[in-house]
Amino acid sequence: MPPNGGNRALKLQFGLINYENRYLTAEAFGFKVNASGISMKKKQIWTLEQDEQDGQVVFLRSHLGRYLASDKDGKIICGAEKPDPECRFLIVPQSDGRWALQSEPYLRYFGGSADYLSCFAQAIGEQELWAVHLALHPQASLLSVARKRYAHLSASDGEISVDSNIPWGVDSLVTLVYLDGKYSLKTCDSRFLSNDGKLVKENSNTTSFTLELKSGKLAFKDCDGKYLTPVGPTGTLRSGRCSKPGKDELFDLEESHPQVVFQAANKRFVSVKQGVSISANQDVETDMETFQMEIDKESKKSMFRTNGGSYWTLVTHGEIQSTATEVEVNTMFDIEWRGQRVALKASNGKYVCTKKNGQLSAVSDSVGDDELFLMKLINRPILILSGENGYVCHHKNSNTLNANRSVYDIFSLIFNDGAYNIKSVNGKFWYVSSSGLVCSDGEKPEDFFLEFLEHGRVAIKGSNGKYLRGDQGGTLMGDGTSVDGSSLWEY
């Protein structure tokens, strides 16, 4: 397990773009493959799997769960349910960051255009080169493989330091920005990492990195052919001297769980400062008042993890303490979404209330003021939403929003007393129009409510009490009456 326990390295999923700027596409009919996709949707997403015995060998799995294969004549099919010998490929990275894919059994290279794909070239030419477009959500925690430490913004030093034991707080959020085949690393205060380790406001040649893969880990190569690496005692992230990635230059991307702060009816913050008991008795928000919300995939219940790595748990007499080191039934809580406030129900079926001394106890049968909490998300000042059909981004010619794009726009999320305002790049706000369209040119902020319902996914409710959803035509609507696939968003 990684040091952060609840966080897992993200499975590498990506689109492959050929020399004509078209995506490799897996069709359901006859398990055919072509290079005709103009953007990255479900059919254009491939998952990289490594061979357990030989880390250099990779398998490419389509969205249908079938594996790409080449026979001895270079014919390409994608129908295998299990990776057989003809599904074995080697990645041959090029200096510009593109990949050549070589059939391991036959040593020929894969390429072509439209419906004319084959794996028969004996040498690598322009037609055999593929650009890699990551398909995972672009906000993550960055872990140095060698140091086993996480990257975070060190505001006092004006740099990204790789010296955190756990990715805690807003400073640990890294946003990957994709542009013309290159990636930039953006900090939570909207600055870009330059190859000399400085943080700058504008994206340029020195902030653009080519992504390389080595035994399932990522390396970032700069415009001079050198790689990002942690340097010195604080692990300042900058380009080192190496022109070949070794262990020091390798990173994992891990999912970034939501981290929240609770304020009780007594207006004080819930904290673990006083030891194991969880009490609403602090006036400032620090790491001690920040909790990581981890949602169980099966039960959809929530666990709250402290920055010391322990979980909230129900103990005798209904008291809530931070003594659990493992997830178990007593660490699971149901969240009830009540507009600007939440109520928490413990495993004994009782609601968590704030006692007179500030202590949290699960002893209430119903919800009154003492059972309501203000819950604030702190580690998403930058909001990128991805739905079942693609990313949310501004419509080119109107004030509406698309929910089916392969590129994303970055929005600002502003907390407002239990609700949130969403701000566009142009400084205008989101609102839901009378016809149910979500518009992005509001002069004044409108309240939206975030409901964290599933692992890695959030539902967003408008002031009209309806959920945001992507409709069939790819437009973002604010008229959903219930939560389903179209109204759940990776964030």
Side-chain angles (χ1 to χ4, degrees):
M1 283 296 272
N4 194 30
N7 292 20
R8 299 189 320 279
L10 292 157
K11 244 204 184 112
L12 283 175
Q13 295 187 313
F14 44 76
L16 289 170
I17 307 168
N18 77 347
Y19 69 106
E20 293 180 331
N21 220 19
R22 291 286 191 264
Y23 285 84
L24 184 65
T25 303
E27 304 289 359
F29 179 72
F31 299 114
K32 287 192 168 64
V33 185
N34 61 54
S36 307
I38 52 173
S39 67
M40 186 166 62
K41 306 275 179 62
K42 201 181 204 167
K43 294 198 302 197
Q44 285 79 28
I45 291 178
W46 297 83
T47 303
L48 190 75
E49 293 182 3
Q50 279 179 287
D51 183 62
E52 282 168 15
Q53 273 72 50
D54 180 353
Q56 295 309 305
V57 172
V58 298
F59 305 104
L60 291 168
R61 194 172 52 136
S62 75
H63 68 105
L64 301 162
R66 304 296 178 111
Y67 291 89
L68 192 73
S70 160
D71 68 12
K72 65 181 190 308
D73 302 320
K75 184 171 177 249
I76 288 287
I77 37 173
C78 193
E81 291 186 27
K82 288 196 175 71
D84 60 39
E86 294 194 331
C87 302
R88 296 166 70 87
F89 287 90
L90 300 167
I91 295 171
V92 185
Q94 305 300 298
S95 60
D96 64 359
R98 288 188 293 176
W99 292 356
L101 292 166
Q102 185 179 32
S103 159
E104 194 223 22
Y106 307 118
L107 301 177
R108 300 293 179 103
Y109 295 97
F110 170 51
S113 67
D115 291 324
Y116 302 100
L117 296 177
S118 72
C119 189
F120 207 61
Q122 291 182 324
I124 301 169
E126 190 60 19
Q127 294 206 4
E128 286 73 43
L129 291 176
W130 300 87
V132 184
H133 185 179
L134 283 187
L136 44 87
H137 192 276
Q139 293 178 303
S141 305
L142 190 66
L143 175 72
S144 159
V145 172
R147 294 201 179 199
K148 297 191 170 57
R149 293 287 183 277
Y150 290 89
H152 67 100
L153 169 66
S154 172
S156 55
D157 301 325
E159 62 180 36
I160 293 180
S161 301
V162 185
D163 61 356
S164 283
N165 290 326
I166 48 174
W168 207 256
V170 65
D171 298 344
S172 297
L173 185 72
V174 174
T175 302
L176 289 179
V177 179
Y178 178 76
L179 192 67
D180 299 330
K182 301 273 172 79
Y183 285 87
S184 304
L185 295 173
K186 196 174 192 178
T187 55
C188 62
D189 63 358
S190 294
R191 290 187 291 171
F192 295 97
L193 177 70
S194 181
N195 60 358
D196 61 3
K198 292 192 170 63
L199 295 172
V200 295
K201 281 283 182 208
E202 299 297 320
N203 208 345
S204 71
N205 200 23
T206 61
T207 62
S208 300
F209 299 89
T210 304
L211 217 51
E212 287 191 5
L213 274 187
K214 191 176 172 189
S215 51
K217 310 295 181 197
L218 297 176
F220 296 88
K221 185 166 75 171
D222 75 5
C223 53
D224 300 324
K226 303 287 194 265
Y227 291 85
L228 282 184
T229 185
V231 177
T234 60
T236 304
L237 194 57
R238 52 172 303 180
S239 290
R241 299 196 185 97
C242 294
S243 45
K244 242 195 167 113
K247 193 175 180 186
D248 287 340
E249 288 73 36
L250 296 182
F251 296 89
D252 253 333
L253 286 173
E254 291 188 356
E255 60 183 328
S256 168
H257 289 277
Q259 291 178 345
V260 297
V261 169
F262 290 101
Q263 196 175 19
N266 64 9
K267 296 285 182 247
R268 304 189 82 182
F269 295 110
V270 173
S271 177
V272 287
K273 204 167 189 175
Q274 54 289 322
V276 296
S277 70
I278 305 215
S279 295
N281 61 4
Q282 295 299 314
D283 297 320
V284 288
E285 300 172 31
T286 71
D287 287 350
M288 297 277 191
E289 290 73 45
T290 302
F291 301 99
Q292 181 159 288
M293 180 160 63
E294 298 172 9
I295 300 176
D296 181 62
K297 285 187 171 164
E298 264 53 78
S299 68
K300 314 275 195 275
K301 293 177 191 286
S302 294
M303 286 82 71
F304 299 104
R305 183 183 166 114
T306 71
N307 75 326
S310 58
Y311 290 92
W312 292 21
T313 186
L314 177 71
V315 295
T316 47
H317 309 305
E319 201 185 321
I320 307 294
Q321 292 188 348
S322 62
T323 48
T325 51
E326 299 287 323
V327 169
E328 54 192 30
V329 77
N330 284 349
T331 63
M332 304 244 184
F333 294 83
D334 281 305
I335 301 181
E336 289 185 8
W337 306 95
R338 295 174 174 246
Q340 289 170 276
R341 298 293 182 269
V342 298
L344 302 174
K345 194 185 260 187
S347 55
N348 61 0
K350 306 277 191 188
Y351 289 100
V352 175
C353 78
T354 310
K355 291 178 146 174
K356 290 280 177 278
N357 62 359
Q359 202 159 1
L360 299 198
S361 265
V363 291
S364 302
D365 293 317
S366 60
V367 176
D369 284 349
D370 290 337
E371 289 75 31
L372 287 174
F373 295 88
L374 177 92
M375 186 173 92
K376 174 167 106 174
L377 175 69
I378 63 144
N379 63 336
R380 285 296 184 283
I382 298 173
L383 187 68
I384 294 172
L385 293 175
S386 162
E388 59 180 2
N389 296 312
Y391 289 107
V392 171
C393 93
H394 288 105
H395 189 280
K396 281 195 179 72
N397 309 317
S398 77
N399 64 346
T400 60
L401 294 152
N402 294 117
N404 63 349
R405 300 289 298 280
S406 61
V407 291
Y408 43 87
D409 278 334
I410 293 178
F411 302 96
S412 302
L413 192 66
I414 301 155
F415 184 72
N416 178 27
D417 188 34
Y420 297 84
N421 309 136
I422 303 172
K423 194 157 120 183
S424 289
V425 190
N426 58 11
K428 302 279 179 61
F429 291 93
W430 285 22
Y431 63 94
V432 180
S433 74
S434 53
S435 60
L437 282 162
V438 181
C439 302
S440 62
D441 60 346
E443 292 298 332
K444 57 181 203 296
E446 184 168 294
D447 282 349
F448 290 89
F449 303 93
L450 303 189
E451 299 181 359
F452 301 92
L453 300 176
E454 288 191 6
H455 182 99
R457 284 176 173 72
V458 66
I460 303 174
K461 196 184 252 187
S463 299
N464 60 1
K466 302 280 176 47
Y467 290 99
L468 301 196
R469 67 178 185 92
D471 74 1
Q472 290 299 326
T475 303
L476 186 65
M477 303 294 295
D479 62 358
T481 50
S482 62
V483 174
D484 59 21
S486 69
S487 51
L488 281 170
W489 306 93
E490 277 189 77
Y491 57 96

